[in-house]
Amino acid sequence: MKHMIFGESHGLAIGVTLTGVPAGIALDLAEIGREMARRAPGKNAWSTARKETDQPEILSGVFEGKTTGAPLCAIIANTDTRSQDYSRTKDLARPGHADYPAHVRYHGCNDYRGGGHFSGRLTAPLVFAGAVAKQILALQGVQVGAHISSIYGVSDEPLEDWDSLHAAAGKDFPVLNDEKGEEMRAAIAQAKEEQDSVGGSIECAVFGLPAGLGGPDFGENVEGIFSQYLFAVPAVKAVAFGAGTAFSLMRGSEANDPLYMDGDGTVKAEQNCAGGVNGGITNGMPLVFEVTLRPTPSISRPQFTVDLAKKENAVLELHGRHDPCVVPRAVPVIEAAAALATCELMRL
């Protein structure tokens, strides 16, 4: 199953086309709607004031409630755009955004409004595609979940099991420890008050994967497959599997995951520092990784930049509606990317 996302932040609509979708899947449209609502903007103080219902309209690939096997295409209308917010600064490359490299790559023809095709707005159709993938994976007994693991130095509890992650998904602010969540919200509020933004991390896990999926080489390596999907999400700047960078603080005796034979005859590990992967192949433990997202680059503080039309130095003062922290709304986005990566890994 492959997907292609199309559209721009301030265009008529955004959408996605999924090919290779198995025929006969009875899609739960209400569940897809709940996934879309988790990412939707304009609902709280830590997201942009832009209000979009994000109701997907399925154009093809579904008939009488079931997938047909034909390409599944869905669009999401853009209904609350304010393009005038960007007209005054259209030639000023926003620091931290893709404005300058996109201007070079596409010879100045790219849509600059709201970041165009590079906008986080394009994660809405990704969530739709991921919601479809999740339903396909559920038929195989595979589940995907995530939570906010940190924001600006405030850390949540590490994940333990599927039930805790599933419970976090139903929260307005998806953390395992609600007290830590309040501290994170305070950090976001302070940054917003100071016309700034903050970044953070999301921990995600895939449960139910059998041992033996993937391979050691390019194109089939588990970490490589997932990283391709995860780095395609705007704002993601780092991906770490298992203990990640903490491996640099360990000895081998601490980092190794001792194995044992379970009562049902399966091989299990006493801990999961490897994050469910050894040699690029799943080992039967939950596949666990953490992604780090940069602070939102759109901030109201004056910033030094260049005028691409005049080819001279300039000062940028942004106006408009922006997330002071993208991490809370990115949790279902990371789950979606992980679900699509899992489908590729399992060749579904």
Side-chain angles (χ1 to χ4, degrees):
M1 190 171 68
K2 300 291 184 181
H3 74 284
M4 176 174 287
I5 293 172
F6 58 86
E8 291 83 27
S9 177
H10 285 227
L12 293 177
I14 52 179
V16 63
T17 298
L18 279 158
T19 59
V21 180
I25 304 294
L27 291 181
D28 185 339
L29 298 182
E31 180 59 29
I32 291 176
R34 284 189 286 271
E35 289 290 299
M36 300 298 297
R38 294 174 64 200
R39 194 221 69 95
K43 298 189 300 182
N44 44 58
W46 53 86
S47 71
T48 172
R50 179 173 177 174
K51 295 185 181 297
E52 298 282 2
T53 58
D54 281 358
Q55 292 297 318
E57 178 184 358
I58 297 177
L59 301 182
S60 65
V62 177
F63 181 65
E64 296 182 342
K66 293 184 178 180
T67 56
T68 64
L72 197 167
C73 180
I75 61 171
I76 302 165
N78 290 326
T79 60
D80 187 23
T81 58
R82 294 183 185 176
S83 300
Q84 65 272 17
D85 289 343
Y86 297 91
S87 58
R88 185 179 60 85
T89 58
K90 68 183 185 68
D91 295 321
L92 302 181
R94 295 169 299 169
H97 278 281
D99 295 350
Y100 170 64
H103 178 84
V104 175
R105 172 68 175 80
Y106 301 108
H107 313 294
C109 296
N110 54 294
D111 187 344
Y112 63 85
R113 300 170 301 169
H117 190 68
F118 297 91
S119 171
R121 176 84 184 123
L122 276 294
T123 59
L126 177 61
V127 169
F128 173 86
V132 173
K134 281 184 177 182
Q135 294 188 27
I136 294 172
L137 291 172
L139 298 175
Q140 306 294 323
V142 176
Q143 298 165 312
V144 181
H147 72 111
I148 301 170
S149 53
S150 70
I151 288 180
Y152 198 54
V154 180
S155 297
D156 192 17
E157 303 292 338
L159 69 86
E160 294 183 355
D161 51 37
W162 163 248
D163 290 336
S164 61
L165 279 187
H166 185 61
K171 298 180 181 179
D172 192 32
F173 199 84
V175 291
L176 304 178
N177 185 321
D178 292 330
E179 291 184 3
K180 292 295 184 178
E182 289 298 325
E183 293 181 38
M184 294 178 191
R185 281 190 265 204
I188 297 172
Q190 183 177 354
K192 182 178 180 180
E193 183 179 350
E194 296 172 358
Q195 299 183 320
D196 216 330
S197 63
V198 291
S201 299
I202 294 170
E203 187 180 34
C204 184
V206 183
F207 295 86
L209 289 176
L213 297 177
D217 300 318
F218 179 83
E220 59 179 6
N221 181 285
V222 173
E223 289 113 328
I225 291 172
F226 272 75
S227 294
Q228 287 250 343
Y229 283 83
L230 296 166
F231 278 119
V233 176
V236 170
K237 302 301 290 184
V239 177
F241 291 83
T245 57
F247 277 121
S248 66
L249 305 175
M250 296 180 179
R251 291 186 173 185
S253 56
E254 299 169 303
N256 291 341
D257 300 326
L259 303 176
Y260 68 95
M261 190 65 69
D262 198 19
D264 60 4
T266 60
V267 176
K268 292 187 178 180
E270 293 181 1
Q271 59 183 24
N272 193 20
C273 287
V277 185
N278 293 112
I281 304 171
T282 56
N283 61 22
M285 294 292 287
L287 177 64
V288 181
F289 61 87
E290 185 176 58
V291 300
T292 300
L293 296 92
R294 59 159 297 144
T296 316
S298 290
I299 57 177
S300 299
R301 291 186 174 192
Q303 302 177 81
F304 292 114
T305 186
V306 295
D307 188 313
L308 297 173
K310 297 179 180 178
K311 300 186 184 303
E312 63 184 26
N313 294 327
V315 175
L316 173 66
E317 292 190 35
L318 283 175
H319 302 281
R321 303 164 296 175
H322 311 288
D323 293 80
C325 181
V326 300
V327 177
R329 291 176 57 214
V331 172
V333 178
I334 297 303
E335 290 179 9
L340 290 163
T342 303
C343 282
E344 178 171 331
L345 176 65
M346 298 182 71
R347 303 191 184 283
L348 297 177

